[in-house]
Amino acid sequence: MSNRHIISVEPATGEAFWEGEIGNVDAAVVTACKAWRHWAAEPLAKRVELMRRFANEVRRQEEALATLISRETGKPLWEARSEVSAVIDQVEISIRAYGERTGQRRLDSALQGTSALRHRPHGVMVVLAPYNSPAHLPNGHIVPALIAGNVVILKPSEKTPAVGEFLVGCFHRAGVPEGVLQLLIGGPEEGQMLVAHADVSGILFTGSAPTGIAINRKLASTPNKIVTLEMGGNNPILVWDTPKIGDVAALIIQSAFTNAGQRCTAASRLIVKSSMYFDLIAELLKLLDRMVIGAPFDQPQPFMGPMIDTRAADLVTESFLYFLSNGGKALAHMRRPFGDLPFVTPGLIDVTGVEDRPDVEIFGPLLQIIRADDFDEAIAEANNTRFGLSASLLGGSPEEYNRFWSNIRAGIINWNRPTNAPSASAPVGGVGLSGNHRPGAYYSADHCAYPVSSSELDQPRASVGVGFEQ
Ligand code: NAD
């Protein structure tokens, strides 16, 4: 980031490949306010039609968008392609969600006329996006907000502005007016200005807990502003009695290391029944030995690319060293295989009995392992966090899953499935430091419109009753 420019750097090569000017917040909000009245007055059918055209435009540009996501984030092309599919799927999911969760309902009654429940848009919504899924995550806010009749200013992450620009371009080419969806290039400073702007009606935020808390604090005196906070996790994955060690190991690898561990739902703590410990670790190490780490366009395709930048890679390796110097036992050391570039090999560290384990999100390929002898002790360990985004139980009986489900504090609770593959056709969100009870994905419709209830008759009809002389 230079004075008035942001430069995007390809993590896999360290080369700058995109440069853009930092946007003007006041000008963007003025444009948005002007566009809103017209957009909100458009019939729903027209807004829906434009979203479908957007999905078609993304289909046409599928490979170009996937390639750009891979370049800018470093994630392998196969993974970027699945992100693009999620962008396309979001449109039909959001149309359905608008109808089911908001939209309009009528309750007729002969005596009281019609009772109607309708929803109205808020106005100018700001989407503040993270870097780890730079197309799918902002899109998950943009599409429901536009369907509901809001206008949107997207501020992509300063680490992935090129994908933000491409995404917004797809909406414009599909016919969404430029004032209705604007791109605002910028970093935290522009984010803060947007949050504080008096003419902004709502903030749709996906990012880290410290940023979410800062935004919440800034909005303390403006309860009229909608704020949705989708934040990070310190997610547990619990392994209990099962003979299927190979499957369990594969699910753990997927949960902890997909996208180099840079998913909000990534497993960061593995809690394993002590009697299964040695077999499971042996299986995990076998898989790590076979794991291909490389640049996003390498053939054969790697499982994992680099982290977003050197700072992120330094932070996660420092966390590994911290555990090591506080009594942790390294089972797989983290290495930096390609010099200064932000590639990091996955780390496995046994932290059983380590007292000083900070309850923070370590956003990278590092898995802490804790042994447990008793199922209740394992559940208590899983809940030993202020976060509450996702949790999985691998193995165990139906009764144990029932206990797990009933006692775990999280917004996503899975059985024999990874922690990190939530479906956009379900609500996605967490409790504690992971969110403010406004889950995204299917429930995004809820915070993009507010309900208005009306009791309606076509003529005034009333007569005075009790308390009046006849
Ligand atoms: P971040 O919090 O650093 O930044 C997110 C966005 O907020 C960026 O656009 C940034 O410029 C902006 N921003 C930063 N400081 C701001 C401030 N003070 N005021 C207003 N805006 C500000 O997050 P990141 O590092 O880009 O993304 C990774 C984080 O996102 C992880 O913590 C991850 O768990 C989380 N995440 C959560 C979900 C979810 O659905 N819960 C999904 C993906 C990522």
Side-chain angles (χ1 to χ4, degrees):
M1 202 153 119
S2 76
N3 232 356
R4 290 307 305 163
H5 280 77
I6 282 185
I7 293 165
S8 185
V9 173
E10 219 176 330
T13 62
E15 281 164 21
F17 80 104
W18 183 97
E19 184 168 349
E21 204 177 331
I22 290 181
N24 180 321
V25 168
D26 286 328
V29 177
V30 168
T31 303
C33 290
K34 277 194 201 141
W36 181 50
R37 234 169 280 283
H38 183 65
W39 181 248
E42 292 283 15
L44 174 64
K46 169 142 189 216
R47 298 197 299 265
V48 163
E49 171 59 24
L50 284 173
M51 293 305 107
R52 291 196 165 124
R53 282 198 207 160
F54 158 73
N56 284 336
E57 178 61 22
V58 177
R59 264 184 211 106
R60 263 194 293 279
Q61 303 280 338
E62 210 161 350
E63 204 52 18
L65 178 54
T67 302
L68 185 61
I69 293 171
S70 281
R71 268 192 96 179
E72 198 166 41
T73 62
K75 68 173 75 168
L77 195 54
W78 62 265
E79 199 185 337
R81 286 183 178 136
S82 73
E83 182 172 345
V84 178
S85 300
V87 168
I88 296 167
D89 293 347
Q90 184 71 50
V91 169
E92 289 307 319
I93 290 170
S94 304
I95 294 169
R96 222 173 42 242
Y98 181 79
E100 280 176 21
R101 299 202 57 83
T102 50
Q104 302 191 10
R105 287 181 228 347
R106 286 191 168 273
L107 300 168
D108 290 316
S109 114
L111 279 179
Q112 294 179 357
T114 302
S115 237
L117 171 63
R118 304 187 187 90
H119 286 80
R120 281 212 183 136
H122 297 288
V124 178
M125 302 295 268
V126 164
V127 173
L128 298 172
Y131 64 81
N132 60 325
S133 287
H136 171 51
L137 290 169
N139 192 58
H141 293 301
I142 294 169
V143 172
L146 292 181
I147 290 175
N150 302 282
V151 294
V152 173
I153 299 172
L154 165 65
K155 194 204 77 59
S157 164
E158 57 280 15
K159 294 172 185 168
T160 51
V163 172
E165 180 187 58
F166 193 101
L167 187 71
V168 170
C170 288
F171 280 97
H172 291 165
R173 284 192 294 281
V176 173
E178 295 200 354
V180 167
L181 172 64
Q182 296 177 78
L183 174 77
L184 192 119
I185 297 295
E189 200 181 316
E190 286 66 35
Q192 286 169 32
M193 287 163 72
L194 285 163
V195 167
H197 201 292
D199 293 330
V200 165
S201 308
I203 309 296
L204 305 173
F205 168 79
T206 309
S208 64
T211 306
I213 291 166
I215 291 172
N216 217 24
R217 207 169 275 146
K218 195 135 203 157
L219 294 177
S221 58
T222 46
N224 52 313
K225 274 192 195 183
I226 282 283
V227 57
T228 77
L229 303 174
E230 294 174 18
M231 303 184 282
N234 184 6
N235 307 304
I237 189 162
L238 202 158
V239 177
W240 220 245
D241 296 311
T242 172
K244 304 196 73 175
I245 294 283
D247 300 72
V248 163
L251 286 163
I252 293 168
I253 297 282
Q254 279 173 36
S255 298
F257 304 132
T258 305
N259 197 13
Q262 299 166 113
R263 281 202 182 169
C264 55
T265 46
S268 39
R269 292 174 298 134
L270 164 64
I271 301 152
V272 53
K273 185 168 187 178
S274 296
S275 58
M276 298 178 66
Y277 178 79
F278 290 106
D279 288 348
L280 182 62
I281 299 302
E283 205 63 33
L284 286 172
L285 291 177
K286 268 195 244 163
L287 285 179
L288 288 187
D289 262 358
R290 287 169 46 210
M291 183 189 286
V292 179
I293 298 171
F297 306 108
D298 282 357
Q299 287 300 338
Q301 277 273 279
F303 172 77
M304 226 176 82
M307 295 190 64
I308 191 71
D309 57 22
T310 314
R311 187 165 169 270
D314 289 347
L315 273 175
V316 72
T317 44
E318 277 162 20
S319 301
F320 180 82
L321 294 174
Y322 170 87
F323 288 126
L324 208 53
S325 56
N326 278 273
K329 185 174 157 233
L331 302 169
H333 276 277
M334 296 193 101
R335 289 179 295 106
R336 299 282 286 271
F338 303 113
D340 285 343
L341 292 170
F343 290 88
V344 181
T345 63
L348 293 183
I349 188 149
D350 187 332
V351 295
T352 313
V354 171
E355 293 210 339
D356 216 355
R357 280 190 285 130
D359 179 22
V360 291
E361 179 184 46
I362 299 170
F363 207 51
L366 173 58
L367 185 63
Q368 301 161 57
I369 301 173
I370 301 122
R371 283 167 277 141
D373 294 315
D374 169 84
F375 196 61
D376 289 330
E377 181 197 326
I379 289 180
E381 174 53 47
N383 273 336
N384 186 16
T385 172
R386 296 163 302 161
F387 293 88
L389 190 52
S390 78
S392 288
L393 171 67
L394 307 181
S397 64
E399 292 70 29
E400 279 162 340
Y401 176 57
N402 193 23
R403 264 161 74 200
F404 181 78
W405 195 95
S406 308
N407 289 291
I408 288 291
R409 217 178 43 249
I412 302 166
I413 303 179
N414 297 334
W415 191 22
N416 292 323
R417 299 286 301 144
T419 54
N420 61 350
S423 157
S425 34
V428 177
V431 294
L433 281 189
S434 297
N436 65 339
H437 299 278
R438 291 187 187 276
Y442 199 71
Y443 278 18
S444 285
D446 298 26
H447 34 258
C448 290
Y450 67 94
V452 178
S453 53
S454 311
S455 176
E456 298 165 344
L457 277 178
D458 55 359
Q459 297 283 341
R461 203 189 307 149
S463 58
V464 293
V466 178
F468 284 81
E469 289 174 6
Q470 295 300 316

